[in-house]
Each structure stands twice: as C-alpha cells, then as structure tokens.
Amino acid sequence: MGRFLQIAGLGVGLTGLILQFAITIPASMAAGRSLLGSIVFYFSFFTILTNIAAVLVHVALLSSTRHGWLSAFGSPRPRAGIAVAISVVAIVYLAVLAPLGQPRGLFLLCDILLHYLAPPLFVLWWLTSGADGTSRWADIATWLSYPALYVVYVLARAPIAGEVPYPFLNAGKNGYGAVAAAALGVAALFVTLGVCFVAADKIIGQRRAGKAQPS
C-alpha cells in the first residue's frame, strides 16, 4: 500500500506541477510579465513549493540513491513537516481561496491535482508508511520556519513585483495589520497540525515497536 501511494502521489504531483507550469507561463507572459518574471511568479506560490517538496520526498524514497541533498527529503522528520505543510495547503485553499475564484479547463484540473488529490495522497502515505515515531515536539518550530520565511519573501517581493500570490497577504490593499493577522492565523493552523502530526507519529511509532517485539 505504501509503495502504491508513493507512486500515485508522485504521478499526481508531477502531472499537476508540470501542467501548471505549462499553462501558467504563457498566461503570465500574456498578462505582461517577462519570461523570467513568469517563472518567478510560478515559483512564488506556497502550493507549488510544497507540492515540489512532496514530490521530492517520493523521488528520494523511490530512488536507489541514498546520499546527497535529495536524500534529505526522504528523512523521517523533514517528511513529517512536509505532511503538515501540504495539509495547510489543502485546508487554506478549501477554506479561503476556493470561494474566491472559479477556475476552468486545465486550470481547474491543476487545482484538483494540487489541492484536492496530492495533499490527501501524501498524508495517507505518511500515516501508513512514512511515520516512524522519530518526530519531536521541537520539530514544530523548525517546520514553522518554512511558512515564516515564505511570508517574509512574499512581503519583500511585493513592492518590487507589484503583486502577491495570495490576496490575504496583500498589505497594500488590506494593510499590514490584516496581513499579520492572516499570517498568525495560518501559523496557528500550522502549529496545531504540527502537534497533531507529532502525536500521531509517536503513536504510530509505539505501535510499530510493539508489533516488532517478540511475543
């Protein structure tokens, strides 16, 4: 089951990312951005970055290579953090972003692949095969640095690019107070999920250790 979920997650994630890139770049250039600006725009979405990380976890674990930078994504504690992050991707999209627009055609397909299919596939894989009991409560702070650095990047890029990837991070329109409140809300969600995932990891690890002991 674990290998099936990995292959399925890899296929869904890669398909969604490649298709999203293929349709985003022409649309972005048609909107007036340069090729480089369009590529930066594509990689400025938390959804894209997190789905890339999830794909790299699957690639690292399915690959015969067990060294180098790629192997870091297959390590137990980083992959638990990615499970938290991709859960945030799905929840924030469903609760906040989905009601704001009605994508059609290939854009709708990408939304389904990257928001509705890839996150549950990754989390289900993690629960059945990826968790091993090694996550620590202190890991939550490390995992939280990812969205924190992302918000810093978005706010630093906004005056230069004149845009933000997500409307709730638009300080020019909403004010820095509203952006801070939104960021804190997402951080609270991230921490809450982090607590749940660490607890689940510990329970799963204990159960597997119990099964491994001779009766």
Side-chain angles (χ1 to χ4, degrees):
M1 175 61 75
R3 189 172 181 82
F4 169 78
L5 289 171
Q6 275 189 299
I7 294 173
L10 178 60
V12 167
L14 273 179
T15 301
L17 289 168
I18 293 171
L19 181 58
Q20 185 75 70
F21 185 86
I23 62 178
T24 295
I25 300 304
S28 177
M29 293 180 69
R33 299 183 188 89
S34 65
L35 174 60
L36 178 59
S38 297
I39 293 173
V40 172
F41 175 71
Y42 171 82
F43 286 105
S44 293
F45 286 85
F46 192 80
T47 293
I48 297 298
L49 297 175
T50 307
N51 272 280
I52 289 173
V55 164
L56 290 175
V57 169
H58 293 315
V59 171
L61 294 176
L62 291 170
S63 172
S64 59
T65 302
R66 289 292 181 267
H67 62 275
W69 65 270
L70 182 60
S71 63
F73 283 90
S75 301
R77 290 155 70 185
R79 69 193 187 212
I82 293 169
V84 173
I86 206 165
S87 298
V88 171
V89 165
I91 293 171
V92 171
Y93 179 79
L94 291 172
V96 179
L97 300 173
L100 299 180
Q102 295 181 334
R104 297 180 180 180
L106 293 178
F107 284 99
L108 175 59
L109 177 58
C110 288
D111 270 5
I112 293 172
L113 292 173
L114 299 177
H115 294 114
Y116 292 92
L117 293 180
L121 279 173
F122 190 88
V123 172
L124 184 57
W125 163 78
W126 183 82
L127 288 171
T128 57
S129 303
D132 64 354
T134 59
S135 296
R136 304 172 185 174
W137 298 114
D139 291 337
I140 298 172
T142 302
W143 300 339
L144 188 60
S145 64
Y146 166 44
L149 289 173
Y150 175 79
V151 171
V152 170
Y153 161 74
V154 169
L155 295 180
R157 176 178 177 269
I160 301 171
E163 62 185 7
V164 293
Y166 302 106
F168 56 83
L169 294 178
N170 192 335
K173 181 178 180 180
N174 305 322
Y176 281 99
V179 169
L184 287 173
V186 173
L189 173 63
F190 205 99
V191 171
T192 300
L193 289 174
V195 170
C196 294
F197 274 73
V198 172
D201 194 18
K202 291 182 177 297
I203 293 171
I204 292 170
Q206 290 171 358
R207 288 182 176 178
R208 290 179 180 171
K211 290 180 180 179
Q213 294 178 355
S215 56

